[in-house]
Amino acid sequence: FAWGFTLALTLAVAVLSVVAIRREGSWTQEPLVDSAAFHADALRMKHAFEQRGASGFVESWFTVNRTHAPLVPALSALTMLVFGESRLAAESVLLFFVFLFLLSTLRAVEILYGWKTAAATAALTATFPAFVNLARAYLYEMPFAAVVLAGCWALLRSEGFSRRLPTVLTGVCG
């Protein structure tokens, strides 16, 4: 049930994002400087994969941007390999992170306070204006917050580091 509820909340955020984008016309404008640079990183990673294969992609993971972690542009590059080079294809990875954020919120709060509180918390989070704004901006804040929150969920599931997989995920996500 949690997967379906989280998927419904993710779709609600997507709809709210599309409504906001259409209302303000932000996709008819040039992306912000940071977003444009991250798009360029994703395109360089995609081209590295196309030209040199998996080894080129792995090499670009370490060399494309020495300041920012490459997770988001790497996922965007892989998405653009499948769906073609477009802003929509690159930014569609944000929905995965919205889903991860909401699922991690739901599960972590459920462990601590029960299902009703978890569902209310996830629903409030999904409709919070700042969350919706960050969910549609091609910046790293939302994806990284989602990964850290997934690490918190894994930490709660590790039962004092006695369960191996949640313990490893806590370290990977933290």
Side-chain angles (χ1 to χ4, degrees):
F1 182 72
W3 291 92
F5 184 73
T6 306
L7 185 58
L9 288 176
T10 302
L11 291 175
V13 171
V15 168
L16 288 172
S17 296
V18 169
V19 168
I21 288 168
R22 286 182 184 236
R23 186 190 70 219
E24 70 186 18
S26 62
W27 271 33
T28 60
Q29 305 165 8
E30 292 293 319
L32 299 172
V33 172
D34 287 347
S35 295
F38 301 150
H39 278 283
D41 291 346
L43 285 170
R44 282 194 291 277
M45 294 180 90
K46 176 188 178 283
H47 295 155
F49 188 90
E50 289 173 333
Q51 294 166 1
R52 299 187 312 272
S55 64
F57 181 77
V58 170
E59 179 184 330
S60 71
W61 178 278
F62 295 103
T63 59
V64 161
N65 188 328
R66 296 181 189 271
T67 307
H68 298 93
L71 178 63
V72 177
L75 292 175
S76 291
L78 296 174
T79 303
M80 287 190 291
L81 279 170
V82 175
F83 297 106
E85 290 182 12
S86 73
R87 185 174 175 185
L88 178 61
E91 293 185 15
S92 67
V93 301
L94 295 175
L95 283 177
F96 165 75
F97 290 107
V98 167
F99 182 82
L100 180 63
F101 191 103
L102 293 173
L103 181 66
S104 299
T105 298
L106 186 74
R107 290 306 201 178
V109 174
E110 182 181 23
I111 290 169
L112 294 172
Y113 300 106
W115 171 252
K116 288 182 181 179
T117 304
T121 303
L124 285 171
T125 300
T127 56
F128 189 66
F131 182 83
V132 174
N133 282 338
L134 283 173
R136 64 190 178 90
Y138 193 70
L139 299 172
Y140 292 169
E141 284 82 356
M142 164 62 82
F144 290 159
V147 171
V148 168
L149 194 51
C152 293
W153 172 30
L155 177 63
L156 290 170
R157 295 227 13 187
S158 73
E159 298 174 5
F161 302 111
S162 64
R163 297 180 61 210
R164 182 172 299 156
L165 181 60
T167 300
V168 170
L169 287 175
T170 298
V172 168
C173 294

